Amino acid sequence: MSSDRRPWTFFVLATLFTLFVIFLYGPMISILILSFQGPNGSLSFPLRDPSLMWFGEVFNPSRVGDVPGAFSRSFPLSIIVMLLTVLISVTAGFGFRRHFRGSTLIFYTAIASLIVPGLVLSIGVLVTARFLGVSANWYTTGLGAHLSWTLPFGLLIMFAVLGRLNPSYEEAAYDLGASKWQTVKEVVVPIVFPGMIAVALFGFTLSYDEFPRSWLTIGTKNTLPLEIWTMTTNVTSPSLYALGAITTGISFLVIGAALGSIYLIQRKRAGL
Amino acid sequence: MSERRSFITQLQVAPLTLVLFLFFVVPVALVVIVSFFRYQMLVGLVPDFTFKNYYDLLTNPTTWALYLSTLKFTLMVLVITLVLGFWLSYFLVFHVRNLVVAIGLFLLCTIPFWTSNIIRMISWRPILGREGLVNQGLQEVGLIDKPLDWLLFSDFSVVITYVHLFTLFMMVPIFNSMARIDKALLEAAIDAGATRWGVIWNVVLPLSKTGIALGALFVVTLVMGDFAVVKVMSGGLSGSATSGMFNDLQFLNYPRAAANAVILLIIVMLIATGIFRLIDVRKELVR
Amino acid sequence: MNATIDDTNTAPNTAPNTAAKTAHASGSGEIRLVNLSMSFGATKAVNEVNLTIPHGSYCCMIGPSGCGKTTILRMVAGHETPTSGEVFIGDTMVVGQPPVNRGTAMMFQSYALFPHLSILDNVAFYLKMRSVAKDDRRRQARAMLERVQLDHLHDRMPAQLSGGQQQRVALARALITNPKVLLLDEPLSALDEFLRLQMRGELKGLQSELGITFLHVTHTQPEAIALADMVVVMDNGTIEQAGTARDIFDKPRTPYVARFMGAQNVLTGTVDNKSGTTVVLKTASGEALEVPGDRVNASVGEAVSVSIRRDLIAVHRAETGSTGDVNTIEGVVEATEYQGNFVKIGVIVKGVETFVANVSDQAYFAEPVIPGDKVRVSWNIDAVHVLAKVDAGNEGSPYGV
C-alpha cells in the first residue's frame, strides 16, 4: 500500500470501474445517438441519415402523447416539491439536533416512508383521497406522495450536513451580539448552503422522475414519467428516444447547476 | 426557557410530522383497513371485516409463484450489487490516491441516479434487442449466426436493468462507511502480518458492515416494490409480487390489491427490521 | 441599541450612549462566582464554586479534562446556564443575560471563524450585528486587524490562513467588541510548540496593554504558571486552590495540587515527636522526616502530609551517603531522563509512589546513577512544605493510581 508501485488489484479494479461506467452511461448515450435517427431509421443501430425530425415529433400530440402538457405539470410539481423539501427538511434537521420526545418515532417513520414500496403508497394515498372525498390531482395528492419520498432523503442529507456543523459557530455569533434570527441568516444558512443545494437537487430530480408514487395519485392528467411509461408500450418510433434525450438533458442541466454552484461556493471558501 | 425551546423544536419538526402523517401513516393504515373490505363489481369498496382477500391470495398458487419469482430476482440482484458496490467503493477509497479524483469518479457514478429510471430502463432496448448492439457485435465477430433471443424481454434483461438502476444504492452507503476507515488501520494490519485479503476480510469488511446493511435495505425494498422494470423488461414473461396488485388495480379491485400490498409490506418490514437489529442506523448516520 | 443593560447597572458610567463601542471597557471586569453549580443529569460538572477574579488580572484555570473548567468559562460567557448560583461581572449579576450584554468576548478553541466570510468580515461581524454602516465597520475592523498585524491579509478567507494567523483573527474578532473580560478556551492547544510560546508572550503583552480581565482555560501547567497572575486549580467540579502562580507552585495547599502542578513529591507520616522548632514524622515504612515545627498543627499520633520540591532534592549512591539520617530515604533508581539543564531521576521507594528528583546536570554527571542503582535521596528541612490536607492516595498524580 505504501509502495509506489500499484498493486495488481489496482489494475483489475480500475478495469472493473471503467466497465461499470460504460455499463452506466453506454445505454444512455446510445439512445441519445439514436434520437438523431433519420426518417427511415429504426429503433436500433445503425444511425441512418441523421436528422432532428424525431425531436419535432415529440411535440406532435397526435403521434405521441401530450408531452408539452405533461411537462407543464411535471416541471412546476418538481419545483414545488423541491422548495418544500428544502424548507421542511432543513427546519426539521435543526429540530433533530436537540433531543425531543418522539424524535426516534418520527425518525423511523421517515425511514419507513423511504422504504415502503411506491406502489403501496400510491394505493394508500388514492384510498385516503377517496375517504376524504377529494379528487386526486398532481398539486394535492401527487405533491404529498412525492414529499413522502423526498423528505426522508432531505432529512438524511441534513443529518449529515448538520452533524458536521460545529456548534461553536452559532455560539460565536451569539457571543458577537447576533440575535437568533441573525445567527440563522448570517451564519448558519450560509455555512450549510451547499447541503441545502444538495437537498434541492434530490427534491427536484426525485420528483421530476418519480413514477410509482405518481401512478395513482396525480389524477387523470399525466406527468412526464407516466407519459413516457405509456409511450413505451404504444410508441414505436425513435421519438421515444428523442423525448428521453430531452428529459435527460433537463436532468443534466439541473444536476450541473447544483453541483456547479456547490463547487463554486467551496472554491470561494478555499479562497481560490 | 427549556419549555419554550422544546416548543420551538416541536414547531420545527411539525411540518415534517404532518406530511409523514398525512401522506404516509394514514395512507398505509388505510391500505391495511381496506384490505379487510369486500370488493363488489361496479360498486368497488364495501366496508366489511373479511379475510377473504387474504384467503384468495394465499390459496392462489399464482401469488406464491409471483413472490417466489420476486425473491429470486431480489437475491440475484442483491448478490450482484453487493459485489459490485463493495469493489467499486474499495477501488475509489483505497486505490485512488487523489481525493479530488476520487470524488469526481464517485460523482460520475451518482449522476445517473438523478435522471429518469424509465428512460434508463428503455435505453437497454437498442443494446439488448434482436437487432441490438450486442447481437450485432456477436454476429459480426462470428460467435453466433442468429441473434440471441434471451437478451431482451427475459429474466436476464430484468436483472441487468435492476443492477443498472440500483447498484448506486448499494455503492453510496458502502463508500460512505469505507471513506471513514482510518487508513492507518490498514497499515497496522499489514504490520501485524495480515495479507491483502486478510486486511479486506478482517478490517475493511467488518468496518463496512453498516454501509452494506443500509445498501441491502435499499436494494431489497426497491426490487421487491418494483413493477415497472419487471413489466417492461420481461416483456410480460415474468411477474413480480406487485404484478398481482397491478392487475387488481386495473379492475379497481382495491381490497385485494390492498391485501396484496399488506403482504408485501409485511415481508419488506420483516427484512428491514432484521437489518435494523444488526445496526443502529440513526447513530451511524449522525456520526 | 447602544445603551446595553450592563451600562445602566454598573457603577458610575459616564459614557454617553453614542459611544457604544467603548461602553464595555468602562465597567469593571471583576468576575465573581457565588455558589455556582452546574449539573448535567446526575453528574455535577461544577459544584458550589466561589471565586473572585480581580479586575484586570490574567487568570488561568487549570485541571484535567472533565474537571469543570470549561463549563465555568462557558457559564461566564453565557453559553451555559448554571443550575444554581450567581455570576457577577463588575457589579452586575449576568445569569440570564445574553453574552453581548455581559461585556465578555470569547475566543473559541476551534477559533470558530465563519468559513464563508473574509477575515475582514469576520472581524466586522460584531459591528454588522449592531448595524454600523459598512464603511465605518470596515474601517474599524481594519484598524483592529492592523493591531494583530494581519491587515495585509484582510481579504483572505479563513481556510487560507495558518493556525497562528487564524488565532490572531479570532482575537481581533473578540477584541472589537471592547470587552471587559476576554474568555479564552484552550487558545494555544491547536498550535505547534514554537508558535505556542510566541503567542503565549503576545497574549500576556496584550493583556497588560489592554488592562482587561483575561480568563484562560488550559490543561498545560507551564502555560498557566507563565501567564497567570492568578491560577485556579480545579478537580471534580471544585476549586482545589486559587492563588498566585508562585503560591500554587511553591506552596500547594493539597496533595492534589502538589502532584498536579508536577514539581513536588508528596510524603505522609504520623507525628512522632513534637519538640520546639522541629517535628518528626514517621512514615509507614519507618523513615523519619523532619518538618519545621511552626507549620504543623497536628498533635502526636496524627497524620500529616508534606511536599518536597523535586529540584531541592539530592541523590547519592547508597555507599557514599551516611545511613540513618533524617530526611533521607533509600530507594532504587527506576529511570533517568536528561532534560538539558537538569536530569530527572525517578526513584522507587518502598511504600511511596515513585519519588522524583530533578538534579542539576553538573551534580548528576559528577555522580551519575543508572536504573537499578541503590541510592539515597535527601533534602534540607527548609525544602519541606506542609500540606493543609492529608494525602488520601495518588490524587492528582500524573502516574495515576
Side-chain angles (χ1 to χ4, degrees), chain B residues 96-113:
Chain B
V96 180
R97 288 175 188 168
N98 185 325
L99 184 69
V100 179
V101 174
I103 292 173
L105 291 177
F106 178 74
L107 280 179
L108 193 65
C109 294
T110 46
I111 283 171
F113 167 76

PDB file of all heavy atoms in Angstrom, chain B residues 96-113:
ATOM      1  N   VAL B  96      -7.640   4.915  -5.357  1.00  0.00           N
ATOM      2  CA  VAL B  96      -7.471   6.232  -5.980  1.00  0.00           C
ATOM      3  C   VAL B  96      -6.831   7.141  -4.941  1.00  0.00           C
ATOM      4  O   VAL B  96      -7.378   7.376  -3.872  1.00  0.00           O
ATOM      5  CB  VAL B  96      -8.829   6.796  -6.437  1.00  0.00           C
ATOM      6  CG1 VAL B  96      -8.637   8.154  -7.074  1.00  0.00           C
ATOM      7  CG2 VAL B  96      -9.481   5.843  -7.426  1.00  0.00           C
ATOM      8  N   ARG B  97      -5.628   7.640  -5.255  1.00  0.00           N
ATOM      9  CA  ARG B  97      -4.877   8.341  -4.215  1.00  0.00           C
ATOM     10  C   ARG B  97      -5.266   9.801  -4.095  1.00  0.00           C
ATOM     11  O   ARG B  97      -5.167  10.397  -3.044  1.00  0.00           O
ATOM     12  CB  ARG B  97      -3.393   8.233  -4.523  1.00  0.00           C
ATOM     13  CG  ARG B  97      -2.898   6.811  -4.271  1.00  0.00           C
ATOM     14  CD  ARG B  97      -1.481   6.655  -4.690  1.00  0.00           C
ATOM     15  NE  ARG B  97      -1.102   5.255  -4.625  1.00  0.00           N
ATOM     16  CZ  ARG B  97       0.004   4.785  -5.158  1.00  0.00           C
ATOM     17  NH1 ARG B  97       0.827   5.599  -5.784  1.00  0.00           N
ATOM     18  NH2 ARG B  97       0.296   3.519  -5.063  1.00  0.00           N
ATOM     19  N   ASN B  98      -5.706  10.383  -5.218  1.00  0.00           N
ATOM     20  CA  ASN B  98      -6.057  11.794  -5.200  1.00  0.00           C
ATOM     21  C   ASN B  98      -7.528  11.943  -4.795  1.00  0.00           C
ATOM     22  O   ASN B  98      -8.423  11.398  -5.436  1.00  0.00           O
ATOM     23  CB  ASN B  98      -5.818  12.359  -6.605  1.00  0.00           C
ATOM     24  CG  ASN B  98      -6.048  13.848  -6.653  1.00  0.00           C
ATOM     25  OD1 ASN B  98      -6.934  14.357  -5.965  1.00  0.00           O
ATOM     26  ND2 ASN B  98      -5.260  14.539  -7.444  1.00  0.00           N
ATOM     27  N   LEU B  99      -7.762  12.701  -3.737  1.00  0.00           N
ATOM     28  CA  LEU B  99      -9.118  12.826  -3.199  1.00  0.00           C
ATOM     29  C   LEU B  99     -10.056  13.463  -4.217  1.00  0.00           C
ATOM     30  O   LEU B  99     -11.204  13.042  -4.376  1.00  0.00           O
ATOM     31  CB  LEU B  99      -9.086  13.657  -1.913  1.00  0.00           C
ATOM     32  CG  LEU B  99     -10.438  13.777  -1.215  1.00  0.00           C
ATOM     33  CD1 LEU B  99     -10.867  12.451  -0.634  1.00  0.00           C
ATOM     34  CD2 LEU B  99     -10.400  14.839  -0.129  1.00  0.00           C
ATOM     35  N   VAL B 100      -9.569  14.484  -4.925  1.00  0.00           N
ATOM     36  CA  VAL B 100     -10.425  15.168  -5.903  1.00  0.00           C
ATOM     37  C   VAL B 100     -10.836  14.207  -7.014  1.00  0.00           C
ATOM     38  O   VAL B 100     -12.001  14.172  -7.421  1.00  0.00           O
ATOM     39  CB  VAL B 100      -9.688  16.396  -6.480  1.00  0.00           C
ATOM     40  CG1 VAL B 100     -10.561  17.093  -7.510  1.00  0.00           C
ATOM     41  CG2 VAL B 100      -9.323  17.365  -5.367  1.00  0.00           C
ATOM     42  N   VAL B 101      -9.890  13.392  -7.453  1.00  0.00           N
ATOM     43  CA  VAL B 101     -10.206  12.396  -8.491  1.00  0.00           C
ATOM     44  C   VAL B 101     -11.239  11.415  -7.959  1.00  0.00           C
ATOM     45  O   VAL B 101     -12.209  11.071  -8.646  1.00  0.00           O
ATOM     46  CB  VAL B 101      -8.926  11.649  -8.943  1.00  0.00           C
ATOM     47  CG1 VAL B 101      -9.281  10.524  -9.895  1.00  0.00           C
ATOM     48  CG2 VAL B 101      -7.954  12.622  -9.588  1.00  0.00           C
ATOM     49  N   ALA B 102     -11.053  10.976  -6.711  1.00  0.00           N
ATOM     50  CA  ALA B 102     -11.988  10.015  -6.122  1.00  0.00           C
ATOM     51  C   ALA B 102     -13.394  10.596  -6.065  1.00  0.00           C
ATOM     52  O   ALA B 102     -14.373   9.928  -6.424  1.00  0.00           O
ATOM     53  CB  ALA B 102     -11.522   9.615  -4.720  1.00  0.00           C
ATOM     54  N   ILE B 103     -13.500  11.859  -5.638  1.00  0.00           N
ATOM     55  CA  ILE B 103     -14.820  12.489  -5.559  1.00  0.00           C
ATOM     56  C   ILE B 103     -15.419  12.633  -6.955  1.00  0.00           C
ATOM     57  O   ILE B 103     -16.605  12.372  -7.172  1.00  0.00           O
ATOM     58  CB  ILE B 103     -14.723  13.856  -4.851  1.00  0.00           C
ATOM     59  CG1 ILE B 103     -14.383  13.649  -3.374  1.00  0.00           C
ATOM     60  CG2 ILE B 103     -16.036  14.623  -4.973  1.00  0.00           C
ATOM     61  CD1 ILE B 103     -14.107  14.922  -2.619  1.00  0.00           C
ATOM     62  N   GLY B 104     -14.572  12.999  -7.921  1.00  0.00           N
ATOM     63  CA  GLY B 104     -15.045  13.134  -9.290  1.00  0.00           C
ATOM     64  C   GLY B 104     -15.589  11.810  -9.820  1.00  0.00           C
ATOM     65  O   GLY B 104     -16.684  11.758 -10.391  1.00  0.00           O
ATOM     66  N   LEU B 105     -14.843  10.728  -9.589  1.00  0.00           N
ATOM     67  CA  LEU B 105     -15.284   9.409 -10.065  1.00  0.00           C
ATOM     68  C   LEU B 105     -16.557   8.969  -9.343  1.00  0.00           C
ATOM     69  O   LEU B 105     -17.451   8.365  -9.927  1.00  0.00           O
ATOM     70  CB  LEU B 105     -14.177   8.377  -9.863  1.00  0.00           C
ATOM     71  CG  LEU B 105     -12.938   8.548 -10.745  1.00  0.00           C
ATOM     72  CD1 LEU B 105     -11.882   7.517 -10.393  1.00  0.00           C
ATOM     73  CD2 LEU B 105     -13.299   8.453 -12.223  1.00  0.00           C
ATOM     74  N   PHE B 106     -16.628   9.317  -8.064  1.00  0.00           N
ATOM     75  CA  PHE B 106     -17.821   8.984  -7.280  1.00  0.00           C
ATOM     76  C   PHE B 106     -19.038   9.694  -7.869  1.00  0.00           C
ATOM     77  O   PHE B 106     -20.095   9.101  -8.064  1.00  0.00           O
ATOM     78  CB  PHE B 106     -17.599   9.384  -5.818  1.00  0.00           C
ATOM     79  CG  PHE B 106     -18.775   9.120  -4.933  1.00  0.00           C
ATOM     80  CD1 PHE B 106     -19.093   7.833  -4.539  1.00  0.00           C
ATOM     81  CD2 PHE B 106     -19.563  10.163  -4.481  1.00  0.00           C
ATOM     82  CE1 PHE B 106     -20.178   7.590  -3.727  1.00  0.00           C
ATOM     83  CE2 PHE B 106     -20.648   9.934  -3.664  1.00  0.00           C
ATOM     84  CZ  PHE B 106     -20.960   8.639  -3.290  1.00  0.00           C
ATOM     85  N   LEU B 107     -18.876  10.987  -8.178  1.00  0.00           N
ATOM     86  CA  LEU B 107     -19.988  11.736  -8.762  1.00  0.00           C
ATOM     87  C   LEU B 107     -20.383  11.160 -10.112  1.00  0.00           C
ATOM     88  O   LEU B 107     -21.567  11.095 -10.450  1.00  0.00           O
ATOM     89  CB  LEU B 107     -19.606  13.212  -8.911  1.00  0.00           C
ATOM     90  CG  LEU B 107     -19.719  14.049  -7.648  1.00  0.00           C
ATOM     91  CD1 LEU B 107     -19.281  15.472  -7.916  1.00  0.00           C
ATOM     92  CD2 LEU B 107     -21.149  14.033  -7.111  1.00  0.00           C
ATOM     93  N   LEU B 108     -19.380  10.720 -10.867  1.00  0.00           N
ATOM     94  CA  LEU B 108     -19.638  10.108 -12.176  1.00  0.00           C
ATOM     95  C   LEU B 108     -20.607   8.927 -12.009  1.00  0.00           C
ATOM     96  O   LEU B 108     -21.484   8.707 -12.839  1.00  0.00           O
ATOM     97  CB  LEU B 108     -18.315   9.637 -12.772  1.00  0.00           C
ATOM     98  CG  LEU B 108     -18.315   9.245 -14.242  1.00  0.00           C
ATOM     99  CD1 LEU B 108     -18.602  10.455 -15.109  1.00  0.00           C
ATOM    100  CD2 LEU B 108     -16.991   8.621 -14.630  1.00  0.00           C
ATOM    101  N   CYS B 109     -20.437   8.195 -10.915  1.00  0.00           N
ATOM    102  CA  CYS B 109     -21.315   7.045 -10.665  1.00  0.00           C
ATOM    103  C   CYS B 109     -22.687   7.481 -10.157  1.00  0.00           C
ATOM    104  O   CYS B 109     -23.673   6.768 -10.335  1.00  0.00           O
ATOM    105  CB  CYS B 109     -20.702   6.106  -9.623  1.00  0.00           C
ATOM    106  SG  CYS B 109     -19.210   5.310 -10.170  1.00  0.00           S
ATOM    107  N   THR B 110     -22.753   8.631  -9.484  1.00  0.00           N
ATOM    108  CA  THR B 110     -24.031   9.011  -8.866  1.00  0.00           C
ATOM    109  C   THR B 110     -24.918   9.817  -9.803  1.00  0.00           C
ATOM    110  O   THR B 110     -26.128   9.847  -9.615  1.00  0.00           O
ATOM    111  CB  THR B 110     -23.813   9.821  -7.586  1.00  0.00           C
ATOM    112  OG1 THR B 110     -22.834  10.805  -7.847  1.00  0.00           O
ATOM    113  CG2 THR B 110     -23.414   8.962  -6.437  1.00  0.00           C
ATOM    114  N   ILE B 111     -24.333  10.474 -10.803  1.00  0.00           N
ATOM    115  CA  ILE B 111     -25.142  11.354 -11.658  1.00  0.00           C
ATOM    116  C   ILE B 111     -26.356  10.641 -12.280  1.00  0.00           C
ATOM    117  O   ILE B 111     -27.463  11.175 -12.238  1.00  0.00           O
ATOM    118  CB  ILE B 111     -24.258  12.032 -12.735  1.00  0.00           C
ATOM    119  CG1 ILE B 111     -23.474  13.169 -12.063  1.00  0.00           C
ATOM    120  CG2 ILE B 111     -25.077  12.565 -13.888  1.00  0.00           C
ATOM    121  CD1 ILE B 111     -22.409  13.792 -12.929  1.00  0.00           C
ATOM    122  N   PRO B 112     -26.190   9.416 -12.801  1.00  0.00           N
ATOM    123  CA  PRO B 112     -27.366   8.758 -13.404  1.00  0.00           C
ATOM    124  C   PRO B 112     -28.520   8.591 -12.407  1.00  0.00           C
ATOM    125  O   PRO B 112     -29.681   8.541 -12.810  1.00  0.00           O
ATOM    126  CB  PRO B 112     -26.822   7.394 -13.838  1.00  0.00           C
ATOM    127  CG  PRO B 112     -25.380   7.615 -14.053  1.00  0.00           C
ATOM    128  CD  PRO B 112     -24.977   8.614 -13.017  1.00  0.00           C
ATOM    129  N   PHE B 113     -28.193   8.542 -11.121  1.00  0.00           N
ATOM    130  CA  PHE B 113     -29.232   8.413 -10.104  1.00  0.00           C
ATOM    131  C   PHE B 113     -30.246   9.552 -10.203  1.00  0.00           C
ATOM    132  O   PHE B 113     -31.415   9.396  -9.900  1.00  0.00           O
ATOM    133  CB  PHE B 113     -28.587   8.391  -8.721  1.00  0.00           C
ATOM    134  CG  PHE B 113     -29.562   8.565  -7.593  1.00  0.00           C
ATOM    135  CD1 PHE B 113     -30.386   7.528  -7.193  1.00  0.00           C
ATOM    136  CD2 PHE B 113     -29.663   9.777  -6.936  1.00  0.00           C
ATOM    137  CE1 PHE B 113     -31.281   7.694  -6.163  1.00  0.00           C
ATOM    138  CE2 PHE B 113     -30.565   9.945  -5.899  1.00  0.00           C
ATOM    139  CZ  PHE B 113     -31.373   8.907  -5.516  1.00  0.00           C
TER     140      PHE B 113
END
